[in-house]
Each structure stands twice: as C-alpha cells, then as structure tokens.
Amino acid sequence: MAVGTTGVAYAQDFCGGIGSNGQWIGGDETASDISTAADFQEQMALVLGGNNYVSLFTLSAPTDVRIEAQGRGGGDPVIDVYDAAGAMVVSDDDSGGDGASRAELTLDAGTYCVTMRSFDAAPMTGFVRVGRYEHEALTTGFSDGGYGDGGSTYCDSSTLANQLPFGTPMTGTANDAPYWRFTLDTAMPVVITAENSDADPYITLYSNDGGYIDENDDWDGLNSRLELMNPLEAGNYCIALTALSDSTLPITLTVEELDVEAAMRGLYDRAEAAPPLDGSYPVTALGELKTRQRVDLQNSATATWYSFDVYDGGLVLAEAISVNGEGDPYLVLFDDLGRQIAYNDDTNGLDPLVTARITTGTYLLAVGEYGDGAGSPVRMVIERYVPAR
C-alpha cells in the first residue's frame, strides 16, 4: 500500500489537468498499470476539508476494474473517475456500503484519475483501492445485489431496464427494478424524483451509451431529486436506482419536464445561487456598508437575502448568532455577478462566521437555517474593515 506522499505527477496534464497534482496509485506509472498488476493497488490519504485527493492509474488493455474508497471512522468518501481527456466516467458516494464508495466497470486502455473527497467537506483519512474483479475488494458493497448485474454502477443500452413513462409515477423496489429507462421525443429540461425516505433512494442518470450525466442522494430529507436545467437532447436515457437503507421497500420514481423558473427560485431559496437584483425575488437592500450594521430576523429554512454596497476595497466580516441558542444558521456571500465568495455553517458552535476580501461593488448575503431550528431568532452583524495606511 502506498501512502499519499510519493509519485506526484506535478509536470503532467493528466485528465485535462485534474490529475496534475495526483499520485500514481502504484508509486509510479509502470506499477500503476492495473491491467497487468499482480494485485490491487491502494493508497491512504488525508483529505482536508473541501479538497480532493487524486490517484492516477493506467490500463494497457481494456479491463474490468473495481474502484473503491473507504473512510476511517465516520468518514464518508465520494469518488469521481475521469478519463485522459478529463471527461467523467463514473461517480459514486455510497455503493460500497457503510458510507464507502465503489464502482465496477469496463474501461478502455488509457490513463485515469480518481478523485476522493469528503461528502460533508470535513477532514477525512481515507483509502483508495483500484484492482481487477478477481482482486480482493476493499468494501462490502450492497449485499442485496441491488444493482442486478454483478455490482455494476452504471447502465446503458444493453442493460435490462423497466420502462418509465414520461410524466407517470412508477413504483418498484431497488431489488426488483434497479434500472429504469425513459425516452425524450424532444429536447427539454427534466426533473427526476425517487421517493420513500425509509428506503433512502439514490439515483444516477446515464445516457443511452452509458455516459454519466448526474446523480443525487438526499435532496429532500432522504428522498432523491435530479433537476437538469440544461435541456437533455431527444433520445433514450437510463436511471440506476439503489436503496441505501432497505432495498425491499417500494420507491416511487417520476420523470417529467422541469419548471426552470421554479427550479431557479428553489436555488435562491436554498442559497445555492444568488438571485437577481431586479425585484423579481425578495432582497432587502441595506445600502452602503460604511462600518457596521446589525440585522435581527426570524430565521427560516428558506434563505433570507440582503444586499449591501461597498465603495472601497477591504475586508468584510459577517456573523449570525442564534439568539436563543436553539437554531443552526448558515451564511453565504456572493458578489453581484453571482459568484459565491464565502460560505460558513459552524464556526462558533452552531453559529457561522464568514470573512472575505472585497472590492468596490454590490454584494449579496444569504442567511438560512439547517435542521429543526426554523423560526429561531437570529442576530446578524456585518462589518467592513479597510486596509491600514
């Protein structure tokens, strides 16, 4: 086993640049050829909060490959696999069981990059293992065989799948119906939902040729939802369905046209994107931030938005405090072009604090609530600091 400190590929442009700071999983390029390796190759790495760890491997011939990641303790790794051009081949969160990641698929000869990150962006020590099917697995996988084809985490035109009529909910268990296929006659944005929180559904969308498109685990509690705002082209698509809690429970799956305007409003409500300042979405204008402003509000799961103006560069600090100690607020700061420049949830206990260097312009600040503290009173302070002269 290699520890993530050697074999760094700094000078190379692997996987479209994704692997430029990656490490060969076998220690060097030759030893990282999984097609000829006598056994699996493995690395241990420390993943700092919000960062990715990148492992590289090669294949000298088309090979059935198992790629896994497992965190120590309560770590919850997520893996993304990219080909030499930087196109995502597969992504997985929990297919290894117990929070571990696992993907089994046939890959052509070439160089590949595996990125490992922590699902909740917390620091994590994890293991990455790449091997062939006959090599010992790192993870247990789903003992119920929910994928239905020996553990494959993707589907394509050759996969036996149930037909999912457009706009009509269909129900089945992940054991009995691990794959669903739908057809679009014209290009359109779509939304796919999988509902039964007791089963904890997980959905992954693929094109007809098996190309990865997107995935979701917990959108609404433990239910899954995929919103594809960029229209999908006309054609056939395949959904891989798994249940992370109980694969014997029925899951209701629906695909229908997405209301893009409502979806955008949902992004603003969750502070995942900055709303426009044209009055079409509620934003309270605080005017020029000269030194310090305080705002009291009843916090909500729907984000509350404020804008403020800055006429000189410097530093902005914003803090939100749960007045009764029962809330769990978060803060997100955007510039007027919609770029997120700061986010924080828990700095002082459950209270957030964000700081950011700023220039002249208008900024948007969102405050929202996690968990069950919706309606808790919050006191927010925004302060501006200027450079010393």
Side-chain angles (χ1 to χ4, degrees), residues 2-3 84-85 98 120 160 165 171 189 211 217 219 248 255 308 344 381:
V3 178
D98 297 324
D120 59 2
L160 295 176
T171 300
D217 180 12
W219 175 286
T248 68
V255 58
F308 59 88
N344 188 257
V381 175

Side-chain angles (χ1 to χ4, degrees), residues 31-389:
S32 300
D33 184 353
I34 304 303
S35 298
T36 60
D39 204 349
F40 62 78
Q41 297 294 334
E42 183 176 282
Q43 288 176 333
M44 180 178 72
L46 173 63
V47 182
L48 299 178
N51 293 323
N52 290 338
Y53 178 80
V54 185
S55 296
L56 293 88
F57 69 91
T58 63
L59 299 175
S60 55
T63 307
D64 293 333
V65 179
R66 180 188 297 116
I67 305 166
E68 303 167 280
Q70 188 174 65
R72 269 188 175 175
D76 183 2
V78 179
I79 58 171
D80 300 314
V81 182
Y82 299 88
D83 64 16
M88 182 179 287
V89 176
V90 69
S91 178
D92 187 78
D93 180 12
D94 294 328
S95 296
D98 297 324
S101 299
R102 176 167 169 162
E104 293 179 340
L105 66 168
T106 301
L107 295 176
D108 292 331
T111 300
Y112 294 87
C113 299
V114 183
T115 68
M116 177 177 67
R117 67 184 189 275
S118 175
F119 178 80
D120 59 2
M124 176 189 69
T125 299
F127 294 87
V128 179
R129 181 180 294 188
V130 183
R132 299 191 300 274
Y133 287 0
E134 65 264 28
H135 294 155
E136 181 183 358
L138 172 67
T139 65
T140 59
F142 287 114
S143 59
D144 55 46
Y147 288 117
D149 65 348
S152 174
T153 59
Y154 70 99
C155 53
D156 57 25
S157 58
S158 64
T159 303
L160 295 176
N162 295 272
Q163 192 64 34
L164 180 60
F166 195 82
T168 302
M170 298 293 287
T171 300
T173 71
N175 281 349
D176 297 333
Y179 298 107
W180 294 84
R181 193 181 314 284
F182 68 91
T183 301
L184 294 180
D185 295 328
T186 60
M188 69 175 66
V190 303
V191 55
I192 303 168
T193 57
E195 297 175 301
N196 186 342
S197 58
D198 290 335
D200 190 3
Y202 191 111
I203 52 176
T204 308
L205 178 64
Y206 297 90
S207 61
N208 198 50
D209 60 1
Y212 170 87
I213 297 176
D214 207 347
E215 66 183 313
N216 184 258
D217 180 12
D218 300 329
W219 175 286
D220 177 18
L222 296 179
N223 290 322
S224 297
R225 180 183 177 95
L226 274 177
E227 293 185 348
L228 289 306
M229 293 191 191
N230 293 327
L232 293 179
E233 297 296 328
N236 297 315
Y237 294 87
C238 189
I239 302 169
L241 173 67
T242 61
L244 303 182
S245 293
D246 190 338
S247 60
T248 68
L249 293 177
I251 296 170
T252 299
L253 196 64
T254 308
V255 58
E256 55 193 343
E257 186 171 5
L258 175 68
D259 182 336
V260 175
E261 183 177 344
M264 289 300 300
R265 189 176 183 89
L267 291 178
Y268 308 149
D269 288 348
R270 299 186 300 273
E272 295 175 5
L277 293 173
D278 58 5
S280 60
Y281 188 90
V283 179
T284 300
L286 300 177
E288 180 184 359
L289 179 61
K290 296 180 179 179
T291 54
R292 180 178 187 269
Q293 289 200 38
R294 195 183 87 177
V295 178
D296 292 332
L297 67 143
Q298 293 295 119
N299 207 12
S300 167
T302 298
T304 304
W305 285 89
Y306 300 90
S307 68
F308 59 88
D309 302 314
V310 174
Y311 297 116
D312 294 297
L315 181 81
V316 160
L317 179 151
E319 185 173 8
I321 301 168
S322 174
V323 176
N324 62 6
E326 297 179 0
D328 183 6
Y330 65 85
L331 290 170
V332 194
L333 181 65
F334 293 82
D335 65 16
D336 59 356
L337 295 179
R339 295 174 296 200
Q340 180 180 312
I341 58 176
Y343 166 88
N344 188 257
D345 177 16
D346 302 329
T347 291
N348 301 315
L350 296 180
D351 294 334
L353 182 150
V354 298
T355 58
R357 286 184 176 179
I358 57 172
T359 59
T360 301
T362 299
Y363 293 83
L364 293 95
L365 182 65
V367 55
E369 182 71 29
Y370 281 126
D372 299 324
S376 297
V378 165
R379 180 160 296 146
M380 184 173 64
V381 175
I382 314 171
E383 299 175 307
R384 181 173 72 89
Y385 297 88
V386 298
R389 297 183 180 180

